[in-house]
Amino acid sequence: MFKLKNQRLLTANSSLEILEAQYFCAVASVLSIPDDDHTTRQFYNQKTPMLGSQIQETSHLDPQFYLSALINCKNLHQIKSIHSQLSVNGLLNDPFLANKLLYVYLRYNALDDAHNLFGKMPERNPVSWSVMIGGFAKAGKYLNCFDTFRDYFRSGQQPDVYTLPSVIRVCRDTQDLKMGRIIHHIVHKFGLHTNTFISAALVDMYAKCGVIDDARKLFDTMKMKDLTTWTVMIGAYAACGNAKESLVLFDQMLEIGIVPDKISMVTVVNACAKLGAMNKAKMIHDLIKKQYHSLDVILGTAMIDMYAKCGSIDTAREIFEKMREKNVISWSTMIAAYGYHGQGQKALDLFPVMSRNRIKPNKVTFVSLLYACSHSGLVQEGLEIFSLMQEKYFIKPDVKHYTCMVDLLGRAGKLDQAFDMIENMKVEKDVGLWSALLGACRIHNHVEMAQKAAESLIEIQPHNPSHYVMLSNIYAKAGKWENMAKIRAQMTNKNLKKTPGFTWVEAQNQVHKFSSGDHSHCESKKIYEKLKSLIQKLEDSGYVPDTEFVLHDVNEELKLGNLYAHSEKLAIAYGLISTPEGTVIRMTKNLRVCGDCHTFMKFVSVVEGREIVVRDAKRFHHVREGVCSCGDYW
């Protein structure tokens, strides 16, 4: 069989790739013949340079000869030569040979040739339809794929385990939920819902279409779930933002005795990275160490990302150093990790080491470098990197590079320079770019430019509440309450709601979630008692609440009450009463950390003698002995 089949399965690192690799294996298994016949291969290798003429001279009528020749084709010209001889010798009437020729055409992306052959085939069996449908799907010709499947269905032949996965994949890639449900109905009609492979593809399709509940419902009804099915569902939860459920599922999978492979381990490592739970990260790491003596590039890079996003940049670097093989993604991941941990200089120091190891940087590498510069205030270094990327490596900057540059200049107060860069750039502007400028306007209270940025954002995404909220907060900070009220009124008229802020804190091997003013926790009374005594201790040490961060036009007393009940403070209070003295308090915030809470954490680190690690929507804050790793540049 083709050796490439197994290679695809070994290198697949997502649920999407798992399904594609398995589909490839299934079709290839139907069409392939053994390719280890030494005599046949030796004969073919001798004849390859003159393939067309040799076949013509010998006038072979042996199908086995042509099958071997098709397997070993090196280019489209050779395929067409064989096609011509098959036609002359009348061998295209052999369905197996015709299907093999169709398959090889598609392997070389010769869609027109494949489709012409398909249209002239005297007999089309399920494999013929499957190969053609799968070829259109893989090439991104989605309408052709659907049309061919419709013709297949109308031909009276029964859809099978080779055809349906390709159509399901197209529904997934196009997020065509309506068509996906129709295909699901067909699956049930023909009794194929018991097929694990097809059901796994449907689970993946529903998840990618954003209906995770439907995906889970189907998953739960499956009587037989193999490793691929579990991996797809675990990855689906992580992709939709529910990494906690991903890890719950992974634990359930282990409990019933299913042993994870490297693909599933990469999936769960990525889920852990999204959740940011250090206790889970260590458990997964222990499991990996028991199964594997060394880390390959894919799993090793995923673990670098996991530890970095769980707050341990040092452990991430240890794994990076132990990896025997590193590719450009590994280096870029490590550079990015230093960037969002506020260690910009260390990120820049890795770049020349990467070059000495003969790893050529790509676009992602430079995004990581520029991001690191922007979050560490390294303006001159960032400008040099931006020029180097174009002049030495001939990489044309895209919108992500420009976004980093606007963020870099904007944070440093160079708002006019940032705006000029936006005006003069030749690539299409997106939400991230204008958001970077709007964020800089918030930092430096530039109301006029903020209005321009917000207008551009609202034009691109008129129903995204975060754009309105950001501009509203800028107005509030500047005391322009009437303007703020107008923006809030627009949100109300459009039925847009502000994204609520949440903070998660690790304690007792679990992750606990808090919102502002939250009283839902079972230990809520103890939390508020601790918070009250803690605030008194902090105020005695010099902490002064900054009511500027309460963006409401209310009296000072109400502002203080609102400020004291922020989710970050509740999480810290719970962390203090539920974790051993001297241990690190690890938290995650879905939005940017409040400025007053940032000051609050610095005082807590001194008064309580605790290190606090916070991952917010933009970066990490490591607060220790009254100092934050961000240097208050965030």
Side-chain angles (χ1 to χ4, degrees):
M1 299 292 181
F2 290 115
K3 293 178 183 177
L4 182 58
K5 293 186 295 181
N6 291 331
Q7 291 172 356
R8 287 198 181 196
L9 281 172
L10 287 173
T11 57
N13 63 355
S14 70
S15 56
L16 180 152
E17 289 177 334
I18 293 166
L19 293 174
E20 289 180 349
Q22 289 197 346
Y23 168 76
F24 180 90
C25 291
V27 175
S29 296
V30 172
L31 296 174
S32 295
I33 62 169
D35 64 348
D36 56 356
D37 184 328
H38 177 72
T39 305
T40 304
R41 183 171 294 282
Q42 186 179 46
F43 174 81
Y44 175 82
N45 288 338
Q46 292 171 351
K47 305 298 180 182
T48 298
M50 300 178 66
L51 181 65
S53 60
Q54 290 289 346
I55 292 175
Q56 190 170 12
E57 289 172 12
T58 54
S59 297
H60 276 281
L61 295 176
D62 181 9
Q64 191 80 3
F65 172 84
Y66 288 105
L67 286 171
S68 180
L70 283 169
I71 288 172
N72 289 280
C73 281
K74 306 297 182 189
N75 53 54
L76 190 57
H77 175 73
Q78 292 179 358
I79 300 170
K80 288 186 175 182
S81 295
I82 296 173
H83 185 174
S84 176
Q85 292 305 311
L86 288 172
S87 181
V88 168
N89 293 328
L91 291 175
L92 284 178
N93 291 325
D94 183 333
F96 195 82
L97 265 177
N99 287 339
K100 185 65 182 180
L101 177 61
L102 183 68
Y103 179 72
V104 175
Y105 266 134
L106 289 169
R107 280 185 64 200
Y108 281 84
N109 297 316
L111 284 175
D112 290 339
D113 293 301
H115 196 228
N116 287 334
L117 171 64
F118 181 76
K120 296 175 182 177
M121 288 173 69
E123 179 185 346
R124 298 176 192 159
N125 60 22
V127 174
S128 315
W129 289 98
S130 176
V131 171
M132 197 67 242
I133 290 167
F136 279 133
K138 190 175 180 182
K141 302 291 184 180
Y142 300 134
L143 287 177
N144 298 90
C145 179
F146 283 140
D147 287 344
T148 307
F149 179 75
R150 179 198 60 201
D151 293 341
Y152 174 46
F153 195 65
R154 289 176 176 174
S155 73
Q157 298 192 58
Q158 180 174 327
D160 57 23
V161 295
Y162 301 119
T163 311
L164 286 165
S166 292
V167 186
I168 294 169
R169 178 161 63 90
V170 171
C171 296
R172 177 202 66 191
D173 292 345
T174 58
Q175 296 188 350
D176 190 338
L177 183 59
K178 183 178 179 181
M179 179 61 77
R181 293 195 190 282
I182 291 172
I183 301 300
H184 192 177
H185 178 73
I186 291 171
V187 167
H188 265 280
K189 180 178 179 180
F190 289 95
L192 294 169
H193 56 282
T194 57
N195 181 275
T196 305
F197 181 42
I198 290 178
S199 292
L202 285 168
V203 169
D204 192 46
M205 181 274 295
Y206 279 128
K208 295 298 192 301
C209 288
V211 283
I212 191 69
D213 290 340
D214 287 18
R216 181 58 185 268
K217 183 179 178 181
L218 176 58
F219 175 83
D220 288 340
T221 59
M222 292 174 65
K223 293 181 179 179
M224 296 292 293
K225 304 182 185 77
D226 61 7
L227 178 58
T228 297
T229 312
W230 282 93
T231 304
V232 166
M233 195 68 239
I234 289 168
Y237 270 120
C240 77
N242 192 352
K244 186 175 181 179
E245 189 61 26
S246 290
L247 298 178
V248 170
L249 272 181
F250 181 66
D251 289 340
Q252 292 175 5
M253 186 185 89
L254 295 178
E255 286 174 6
I256 63 173
I258 294 181
V259 179
D261 61 5
K262 283 193 177 181
I263 298 169
S264 56
M265 288 311 307
V266 168
T267 303
V268 79
V269 164
N270 289 336
C272 190
K274 291 188 176 184
L275 184 63
M278 180 60 76
N279 64 306
K280 281 291 185 182
K282 290 179 178 178
M283 183 273 287
I284 291 167
H285 193 181
D286 288 341
L287 186 61
I288 289 171
K289 284 191 287 189
K290 288 178 182 177
Q291 284 191 248
Y292 308 108
H293 295 296
S294 61
L295 298 172
D296 63 12
V297 173
I298 296 173
L299 185 54
T301 301
M303 288 189 65
I304 291 169
D305 186 55
M306 176 185 75
Y307 269 114
K309 288 179 178 173
C310 287
S312 182
I313 189 71
D314 293 336
T315 307
R317 183 60 186 264
E318 286 175 15
I319 291 172
F320 177 79
E321 293 296 340
K322 289 178 181 177
M323 287 172 62
R324 295 178 182 177
E325 182 186 352
K326 307 179 194 63
N327 61 13
V328 65
I329 301 173
S330 312
W331 285 89
S332 300
T333 300
M334 193 67 239
I335 289 169
Y338 276 126
Y340 54 73
H341 277 271
Q343 300 183 29
Q345 191 56 55
K346 287 187 177 181
L348 294 180
D349 291 343
L350 269 183
F351 186 55
V353 182
M354 176 182 176
S355 299
R356 287 198 294 271
N357 281 269
R358 298 181 180 180
I359 302 293
K360 186 178 180 180
N362 60 14
K363 285 190 173 186
V364 176
T365 311
F366 283 104
V367 169
S368 299
L369 287 165
L370 293 172
Y371 183 92
C373 290
S374 71
H375 282 270
S376 296
L378 303 174
V379 178
Q380 189 57 42
E381 291 86 344
L383 291 168
E384 290 172 3
I385 289 289
F386 191 64
S387 297
L388 185 72
M389 175 182 74
Q390 301 171 73
E391 295 170 6
K392 181 177 179 179
Y393 295 97
F394 305 104
I395 294 176
K396 187 177 180 180
D398 60 24
V399 69
K400 292 182 180 178
H401 299 106
Y402 279 110
T403 299
C404 288
M405 290 304 297
V406 168
D407 192 52
L408 172 71
L409 295 169
R411 285 174 184 275
K414 301 178 183 294
L415 288 167
D416 291 333
Q417 194 174 340
F419 189 74
D420 288 343
M421 179 172 280
I422 291 175
E423 290 286 283
N424 295 322
M425 61 187 277
K426 295 180 181 179
V427 300
E428 187 176 352
K429 304 169 182 65
D430 68 359
V431 170
L433 183 81
W434 287 112
S435 295
L437 181 64
L438 187 59
C441 293
R442 178 192 54 77
I443 294 170
H444 299 287
N445 299 319
H446 199 309
V447 177
E448 184 179 342
M449 192 175 291
Q451 289 175 321
K452 294 179 182 178
E455 286 170 4
S456 299
L457 279 169
I458 291 169
E459 184 178 342
I460 299 171
Q461 288 185 338
H463 300 293
N464 188 329
S466 63
H467 308 327
Y468 298 86
V469 171
M470 178 73 86
L471 183 59
S472 170
N473 290 347
I474 290 171
Y475 282 140
K477 192 174 179 181
K480 296 181 177 293
W481 302 112
E482 290 184 8
N483 298 72
M484 188 200 83
K486 289 179 182 178
I487 294 295
R488 295 289 181 176
Q490 287 182 37
M491 290 182 67
T492 302
N493 293 336
K494 295 180 179 181
N495 198 28
L496 302 177
K497 295 182 179 180
K498 177 182 176 181
T499 303
F502 296 107
T503 302
W504 293 262
V505 61
E506 284 187 65
Q508 300 172 349
N509 291 327
Q510 291 186 345
V511 178
H512 302 260
K513 181 180 177 181
F514 293 92
S515 60
S516 183
D518 199 341
H519 284 83
S520 62
H521 197 277
C522 60
E523 296 187 65
S524 182
K525 185 177 180 181
K526 290 182 180 179
I527 291 170
Y528 278 93
E529 287 174 353
K530 177 62 179 178
L531 184 57
K532 183 178 180 181
S533 64
L534 181 60
I535 289 171
Q536 185 60 57
K537 286 171 68 177
L538 298 189
E539 289 179 346
D540 291 342
S541 298
Y543 164 65
V544 178
D546 190 348
T547 55
E548 181 184 334
F549 290 96
V550 180
L551 303 174
H552 301 282
D553 190 15
V554 295
N555 64 46
E556 200 69 13
E557 185 177 349
L558 285 174
K559 283 186 176 183
L560 282 173
N562 188 306
L563 200 63
Y564 287 153
H566 276 193
S567 62
E568 297 97 315
K569 294 184 176 72
L570 295 174
I572 288 172
Y574 182 67
L576 289 171
I577 65 174
S578 60
T579 59
E581 289 186 15
T583 57
V584 178
I585 295 176
R586 300 183 182 278
M587 306 194 307
T588 303
K589 177 77 187 279
N590 66 326
L591 305 176
R592 189 175 180 271
V593 168
C594 157
D596 177 70
C597 289
H598 190 257
T599 302
F600 182 88
M601 287 187 287
K602 289 194 287 186
F603 274 92
V604 170
S605 70
V606 175
V607 172
E608 295 288 332
R610 295 287 199 107
E611 179 182 353
I612 302 173
V613 178
V614 185
R615 168 183 167 184
D616 72 6
K618 294 290 184 181
R619 58 170 301 148
F620 272 88
H621 299 266
H622 296 258
V623 185
R624 185 188 298 123
E625 296 178 354
V627 179
C628 182
S629 60
C630 71
D632 296 335
Y633 189 85
W634 56 289

